Amino acid sequence: MTSVRIWGTGAGAAVVLVAAGVWARGTSAVDAGLWAEVRPAIEARLVTQSAGTGAGESEPSLGSRWFCRAEALDLEASGGRVRAGINTLCEEYGQRAGALVLCGGAEIPEVVRLERDPAGGGYRVVSEEQAPEDDSAEWLEHHFSHHAVARLEQGMTSAVLRAAARTHFGLPAGAPVRDCQP
């Protein structure tokens, strides 16, 4: 009888710990359908904002351009408005002598607010917010879930952007990546 009580108490404690862990971690689910609707507006804005800021743009022979992608970390929809906590990665690529040339880039977490565009039926970005340079850790804690902050710490990979850049410049999949400076 004693072993049953101890076993029952242990099982109960395990359930409480698992429930507390799930609560503390926050949700990791992002509505894939909603993300598919808002992502094009977010990524188009990223590319537009990046233009004119890269080292490769001063070297016309590279034919450089910006490639950007965003990952959804937190999504909340209410009516025709969406709040998207995202991580962004933008990199400027050009090409020289059969190689992909990386001229610059940045990975930046943001909170973007979007609303339905009555004319086009899709979404449009109405505001965005980035962490201040002097206190990004506190800003992240106040603007993202615990799960999202943990994902931000993992960073983003350049593989998708490099593949898109190679395709854009007509380079083979294995084309080397070099630094913008000769």
Side-chain angles (χ1 to χ4, degrees), residues 2 26 40-41 64 77 87 116 123 136 138 156 162:
T2 305
S64 71
N87 198 13
R116 280 251 182 235
Y123 282 89
S136 65
E138 185 175 330
M156 293 176 71
R162 288 180 178 189

Short mmCIF file of all heavy atoms in Angstrom, two decimals, residues 2 26 40-41 64 77 87 116 123 136 138 156 162:
data_model
loop_
_atom_site.label_atom_id
_atom_site.label_comp_id
_atom_site.label_asym_id
_atom_site.label_seq_id
_atom_site.Cartn_x
_atom_site.Cartn_y
_atom_site.Cartn_z
N THR A 2 1.97 1.23 0.73
CA THR A 2 2.85 2.40 0.80
C THR A 2 3.45 2.70 -0.57
O THR A 2 3.55 3.86 -0.95
CB THR A 2 3.97 2.14 1.82
OG1 THR A 2 3.39 1.80 3.06
CG2 THR A 2 4.84 3.36 1.97
N GLY A 26 5.31 28.79 -22.96
CA GLY A 26 4.44 29.52 -23.88
C GLY A 26 4.13 28.66 -25.08
O GLY A 26 4.64 27.57 -25.23
N PRO A 40 4.20 37.82 -47.37
CA PRO A 40 4.61 38.58 -48.57
C PRO A 40 4.72 40.09 -48.32
O PRO A 40 5.67 40.72 -48.79
CB PRO A 40 3.52 38.26 -49.60
CG PRO A 40 2.96 36.96 -49.16
CD PRO A 40 3.03 36.98 -47.66
N ALA A 41 3.80 40.66 -47.57
CA ALA A 41 3.84 42.10 -47.28
C ALA A 41 5.05 42.43 -46.42
O ALA A 41 5.73 43.44 -46.63
CB ALA A 41 2.55 42.54 -46.59
N SER A 64 24.42 43.92 -57.55
CA SER A 64 23.90 43.41 -56.28
C SER A 64 22.46 43.78 -56.04
O SER A 64 21.93 44.74 -56.60
CB SER A 64 24.76 43.92 -55.12
OG SER A 64 24.54 45.29 -54.92
N ALA A 77 -4.04 37.69 -34.30
CA ALA A 77 -4.99 38.34 -35.20
C ALA A 77 -6.20 38.80 -34.41
O ALA A 77 -6.67 38.12 -33.51
CB ALA A 77 -5.42 37.38 -36.30
N ASN A 87 11.48 37.40 -36.69
CA ASN A 87 12.92 37.56 -36.82
C ASN A 87 13.18 37.74 -38.31
O ASN A 87 12.59 37.03 -39.13
CB ASN A 87 13.69 36.35 -36.28
CG ASN A 87 15.13 36.68 -36.01
OD1 ASN A 87 15.54 37.83 -35.98
ND2 ASN A 87 15.93 35.65 -35.78
N ARG A 116 -5.66 44.60 -43.01
CA ARG A 116 -6.17 44.22 -44.32
C ARG A 116 -6.15 45.42 -45.24
O ARG A 116 -6.52 46.52 -44.85
CB ARG A 116 -7.60 43.70 -44.23
CG ARG A 116 -7.69 42.29 -43.77
CD ARG A 116 -8.10 41.41 -44.94
NE ARG A 116 -8.23 40.05 -44.45
CZ ARG A 116 -7.59 39.04 -44.99
NH1 ARG A 116 -6.81 39.23 -46.02
NH2 ARG A 116 -7.72 37.84 -44.51
N TYR A 123 -2.71 41.96 -47.02
CA TYR A 123 -2.34 42.76 -45.85
C TYR A 123 -1.30 43.80 -46.23
O TYR A 123 -0.56 43.62 -47.20
CB TYR A 123 -1.75 41.87 -44.75
CG TYR A 123 -2.80 41.12 -43.97
CD1 TYR A 123 -3.24 39.87 -44.37
CD2 TYR A 123 -3.36 41.67 -42.82
CE1 TYR A 123 -4.21 39.18 -43.66
CE2 TYR A 123 -4.32 41.00 -42.10
CZ TYR A 123 -4.75 39.75 -42.52
OH TYR A 123 -5.71 39.09 -41.81
N SER A 136 18.34 45.89 -25.84
CA SER A 136 17.56 44.94 -26.62
C SER A 136 17.05 43.76 -25.81
O SER A 136 15.96 43.26 -26.08
CB SER A 136 18.36 44.45 -27.82
OG SER A 136 19.48 43.71 -27.40
N GLU A 138 15.91 43.57 -22.67
CA GLU A 138 14.66 43.92 -21.98
C GLU A 138 13.53 44.11 -22.99
O GLU A 138 12.41 43.69 -22.76
CB GLU A 138 14.85 45.19 -21.15
CG GLU A 138 13.61 45.52 -20.33
CD GLU A 138 13.81 46.71 -19.41
OE1 GLU A 138 14.95 46.94 -18.95
OE2 GLU A 138 12.83 47.42 -19.16
N MET A 156 19.14 32.75 -37.40
CA MET A 156 18.61 32.32 -38.69
C MET A 156 19.76 31.91 -39.60
O MET A 156 20.87 32.42 -39.47
CB MET A 156 17.82 33.46 -39.35
CG MET A 156 16.54 33.83 -38.61
SD MET A 156 15.68 35.26 -39.34
CE MET A 156 15.06 34.57 -40.86
N ARG A 162 20.89 32.45 -49.81
CA ARG A 162 21.97 32.13 -50.76
C ARG A 162 21.44 31.35 -51.95
O ARG A 162 21.84 31.59 -53.09
CB ARG A 162 23.09 31.35 -50.06
CG ARG A 162 23.88 32.24 -49.14
CD ARG A 162 24.99 31.52 -48.44
NE ARG A 162 25.71 32.48 -47.61
CZ ARG A 162 26.82 32.23 -47.00
NH1 ARG A 162 27.40 31.04 -47.10
NH2 ARG A 162 27.41 33.16 -46.26
#
